[in-house]
Amino acid sequence: KAGVTQTPRYLIKTRGQQVTLSCSPISGHRSVSWYQQTPGQGLQFLFEYFSETQRNKGNFPGRFSGRQFSNSRSEMNVSTLELGDSALYLCASSLTGTGIYEKLFFGSGTQLSVL
Amino acid sequence: ELKVEQNPLFLSMQEGKNYTIYCNYSTTSDRLYWYRQDPGKSLESLFVLLSNGAVKQEGRLMASLDTKARLSTLHITAAVHDLSATYFCAVDGSLTQGGSEKLVFGKGTKLTVNP
């Protein structure tokens, strides 16, 4: 069974540009959530999608947005990149996101560097 | 706002010794997770703890949850070098009153097991 797939693995952008990251969940999983990991702030929740609808949202500016498609694949977009957006972006999938015994399975992440 | 605190943040121990990592959280939640992260890798799910008094064990790791004290512990028994990694606890913030964040993570405990 394939795991959570994130593309691209590495990305280098310059300030002011925008970027789109992709996440393909485990087959059958309908909940996808996104996290930002930095050495200073640690792991922070960005947003969660279920059945193409945003269900939960973290405390990030509007430059960070996401969406989910009918096949449960998800993308996140960051517009007007800032140096502080340099981070490892992880996505996680689970069956529904609310099942009592559900585990979240994480992808390998996209390492974004903003120059 | 849900806050999750882990301690210690750094732990250096000798093989064969026992130690405990602590995870405190500020708001009642019904779900707590423990994850392991190796350098440059993604997060690997270790345990999901759901109820007061829950105890789960896998190999040399044992996790417990006290919802009244809002405290979870990860106990390491007879440590071996392969356990060297960063360990995170995370609380499901969407299950807290007024919560909107899917997972709120602690800062992580970097464990180094020396021969």
Side-chain angles (χ1 to χ4, degrees), chain B residues 2-95:
Chain B
L2 173 61
K3 293 192 185 302
V4 180
E5 289 188 2
Q6 267 182 257
N7 66 83
L9 297 183
F10 298 92
L11 178 55
S12 181
M13 54 192 297
Q14 285 188 311
E15 282 190 327
K17 299 292 187 182
N18 305 331
Y19 210 83
T20 300
I21 299 171
Y22 297 88
C23 175
N24 292 273
Y25 53 99
S26 61
T27 307
T28 300
S29 172
D30 290 337
R31 200 177 300 157
L32 186 143
Y33 300 81
W34 283 97
Y35 288 92
R36 167 182 172 145
Q37 187 176 38
D38 292 290
K41 304 282 187 175
S42 188
L43 295 167
E44 174 191 352
S45 177
L46 295 174
F47 302 108
V48 181
L49 300 169
L50 302 171
S51 59
N52 190 45
V55 176
K56 290 199 172 180
Q57 182 164 6
E58 178 131 358
R60 300 174 188 275
L61 300 177
M62 182 174 71
S64 66
L65 179 62
D66 181 344
T67 56
K68 292 177 182 176
R70 296 176 193 160
L71 170 69
S72 180
T73 61
L74 180 67
H75 186 73
I76 303 152
T77 303
V80 292
H81 179 69
D82 284 353
L83 289 179
S84 297
T86 299
Y87 293 84
F88 292 93
C89 66
V91 176
D92 192 332
S94 65
L95 299 178

Side-chain angles (χ1 to χ4, degrees), chain A residues 9 35 37 40-43 45 48 56-58 90 97-104 106-108, chain B residues 1 31 33 35 37 40-43 45-46 48 50 56 88 92 94 99-103 105 107:
Chain A
R9 184 70 180 91
Y35 301 84
Q37 186 174 27
Q41 298 298 316
L43 279 151
F45 169 74
E48 181 199 8
N56 290 297
K57 188 178 189 305
L90 293 165
T98 56
I100 195 164
Y101 292 112
E102 278 186 22
K103 287 185 178 182
L104 271 69
F106 282 81
S108 298
Chain B
E1 180 188 350
R31 200 177 300 157
Y33 300 81
Y35 288 92
Q37 187 176 38
K41 304 282 187 175
S42 188
L43 295 167
S45 177
L46 295 174
V48 181
L50 302 171
K56 290 199 172 180
F88 292 93
D92 192 332
S94 65
S100 63
E101 296 185 82
K102 178 57 182 170
L103 287 186
F105 283 84
K107 292 291 188 187

Side-chain angles (χ1 to χ4, degrees), chain A residues 64-78:
Chain A
F64 292 81
S65 63
R67 59 178 176 169
Q68 187 180 34
F69 302 95
S70 59
N71 62 357
S72 295
R73 190 176 71 85
S74 177
E75 288 181 347
M76 68 163 280
N77 184 275
V78 188

